Amino acid sequence: MLDPAAPQLVVNSRTLYFSWLPADPGAVAALVPAGLRPRPDRQVFLNQYVVDDESQTSGFGAYSLTYLGVSLSGVDAPGGISPGGWWTNYVASSPQVLDYAQARGAPALLGGTVIDVHDGTLVAETDLDGVPVIRARCRVGDTGHVISSGHHRYFTRRNGRLVSSVYPYLAEPVTPFEIESVEFLEPEHPVYALRPANPLVISWGFYSPRASFAYPGGLTVHAGDAALPSERLAGLPVPAA
């Protein structure tokens, strides 16, 4: 098992990353712990990416991954441009990546993500136990000379406490780029609570065939209540991650 305290580097992943306004803002807010505040618009983010070869990572090997969650207020990443995010779902194809993420508090499950680009149309699909749960369709162009860079900050719950890390990234986005549809395919699955509004309202996003990022080694404890609203109402103890 990889040491969850060790940093990891990933280069040139194929990455689709964007956000939307949800169909059920109340259901989205209910997924956020009491010690964190969702944005007033209850914005939801989704990152689907594929690492095609083990040479692109410092220790993960080849894998695919999808994570999604709720954008937060008052806990921005360095630079104040990107809001912090609470991971509600995290789907990895590699047992090694799964173990690493779970040890850092991510709500990780085993599943796969496929990104297919053909004649300017991108389709990204994520499955759990072989059942497709999320499908995004986009129009995409070519990469140019623009480089996007910065940091993201993601929160998880570990040993009953809120923790976060700051993740640096570099990406070469394509132009043009347009999200055509986002489908949540299983109404009975808990992830359905994050489905987008109809009509679809996209807040921001990009596709990059070459996106690089790092998992920092450490986790920072956040001084806040880690209980979810549902746990507090039911009088349940906060589980250890």
Side-chain angles (χ1 to χ4, degrees), residues 9-93:
L9 179 65
V10 175
V11 299
N12 296 333
S13 65
R14 297 186 287 122
T15 298
L16 175 64
Y17 194 15
F18 62 102
S19 75
W20 61 80
L21 300 187
D24 189 341
V28 168
L31 298 173
V32 178
L36 298 170
R37 289 186 293 117
R39 284 169 51 101
D41 60 6
R42 305 306 193 245
Q43 190 180 115
V44 174
F45 60 86
L46 170 70
N47 189 350
Q48 295 168 291
Y49 70 85
V50 176
V51 180
D52 293 295
D53 189 85
E54 65 179 8
S55 65
Q56 295 170 240
T57 77
S58 57
F60 283 157
Y63 70 103
S64 65
L65 196 143
T66 290
Y67 61 72
L68 67 162
V70 184
S71 297
L72 303 172
S73 293
V75 287
D76 294 346
I81 297 175
S82 298
W86 166 252
W87 278 336
T88 60
N89 302 84
Y90 191 105
V91 182
S93 67

Side-chain angles (χ1 to χ4, degrees), residues 153 155 158 161-164 219-224:
R153 185 184 186 191
F155 286 80
R158 185 172 184 269
R161 305 183 76 178
L162 294 175
V163 295
S164 72
L219 292 166
T220 300
V221 174
H222 181 72

Side-chain angles (χ1 to χ4, degrees), residues 147-169:
I147 303 294
S148 296
S149 63
H151 298 82
H152 295 295
R153 185 184 186 191
Y154 297 119
F155 286 80
T156 62
R157 187 167 66 176
R158 185 172 184 269
N159 297 328
R161 305 183 76 178
L162 294 175
V163 295
S164 72
S165 276
V166 174
Y167 300 75
Y169 71 89

Side-chain angles (χ1 to χ4, degrees), residues 126-143:
T126 298
D127 71 76
L128 284 167
D129 296 324
V131 178
V133 292
I134 302 172
R135 182 186 299 128
R137 184 181 297 271
C138 318
R139 299 296 299 175
V140 296
D142 300 317
T143 56

Side-chain angles (χ1 to χ4, degrees), residues 225-238:
D225 189 344
L228 298 176
S230 58
E231 294 167 344
R232 184 168 294 284
L233 288 172
L236 299 175
V238 177

